[in-house]
Amino acid sequence: MSNTLLVNNKIIAIVNQKGGVGKSTTCVNLAAFLGMKDKKVLCVDIDAQGNTTSGFGVKKKNISNTSYEVLIGKINIKEAIRNTPWKNVDILPSTSAMAGAEMDLAKIENRLNRLKMQLEHVKNDYDFILIDCPPSLSLVTLNALIATDTILIPMLCEFYSLEGLSQLIDTVKLIRSKYNHNLDIEGILFTMFDPRLNVTLQVVNEVEEHFKGKVFKTRIPRNIRLSEAPSYGKPCLYYDRYSKGSLAYESLGLEILGDKSIIKDLVLNAVGVKS
């Protein structure tokens, strides 16, 4: 696992080419927790669905300056960053306009480094920059992989997820060899975790065997509060501070910060994992 305890100004891309694995939920709630711990956080939403944007209560209808305009070089990133109501968390929002970024980037010089170039302007203003990537290995996602220090991979405990993980790791190796030599895996995070299913434990065992030291101890359980919170435009940690979902993301945040007391009994009981 990457050691964040001694690292400042760290960029983490939350990436998986499969949709519905909890990327935006992880981005929103991890950012909220880090902010609570007095870390200054920027969330960069580069997904056309804009779930991280709406997850912080930002109304997308009237936004004109977004990650799309930033990526194509129309504006500077500082013109698009917005404050959120949540402690120490800012956001670079996204709207459906991002759907056109792929075609536009293809026509632009230095197309793979657009996000990296923009983040250089603000990297020293934040302790953490979290990038919520689209569910594809597109030019937009490649921009994130080149700009980031590490990747956090949320995944479901399903066998199809293993195939997707293998494809993603191949892409990471390619990016590391050609463009971002220091790219590392922050960790693999199991989401919507249900220990009662045999397939869950089989997938966990296989991933832990092949990625020793790169799998978070924290598991994110299926939790109704995590599902409800976005409809209120709130991180779950502000919607229901002591729900199982909130406590699990607190545990993840402590794990990323390098806290030795990361896995709380309450969280372990919530997901049925034994310490």
Side-chain angles (χ1 to χ4, degrees), residues 7 24 53 63 66 71-72 80 95 134 158 183-184 187 205 242 263:
V7 179
S24 298
T53 301
I63 300 176
T66 72
L71 267 182
I72 65 173
T95 66
E158 300 173 352
L183 179 60
D184 196 8
N205 290 338
Y242 297 103
I263 306 300

Side-chain angles (χ1 to χ4, degrees), residues 13 37 39 64 127 130 135 172 174 179 268 274:
K37 298 293 284 185
K39 303 298 182 183
S64 55
D127 297 300
L130 305 181
V172 168
L174 177 63
Y179 303 106
L268 289 171
K274 302 298 183 184

Side-chain angles (χ1 to χ4, degrees), residues 7 16 23 67-68 71 77 82 112 117 164 177 198 207 218 259 269:
V7 179
N16 191 322
K23 290 189 294 292
S67 54
Y68 168 72
L71 267 182
I77 189 171
R82 303 166 64 97
L112 290 175
M117 292 161 55
S177 66
N198 288 334
V207 173
T218 300
D259 194 308
N269 291 338

Side-chain angles (χ1 to χ4, degrees), residues 95-148:
T95 66
S96 58
M98 180 57 76
E102 194 75 11
M103 292 181 62
D104 291 332
L105 282 172
K107 306 170 188 174
I108 297 176
E109 186 179 351
N110 209 10
R111 63 183 66 90
L112 290 175
N113 289 289
R114 306 302 298 185
L115 184 58
K116 181 177 181 180
M117 292 161 55
Q118 290 279 7
L119 290 180
E120 288 297 324
H121 296 295
V122 297
K123 184 174 181 179
N124 291 332
D125 297 334
Y126 296 95
D127 297 300
F128 289 93
I129 296 176
L130 305 181
I131 308 173
D132 184 14
C133 297
S136 63
L137 293 177
S138 60
L139 272 176
V140 174
T141 301
L142 294 179
N143 262 266
L145 293 177
I146 290 169
T148 195

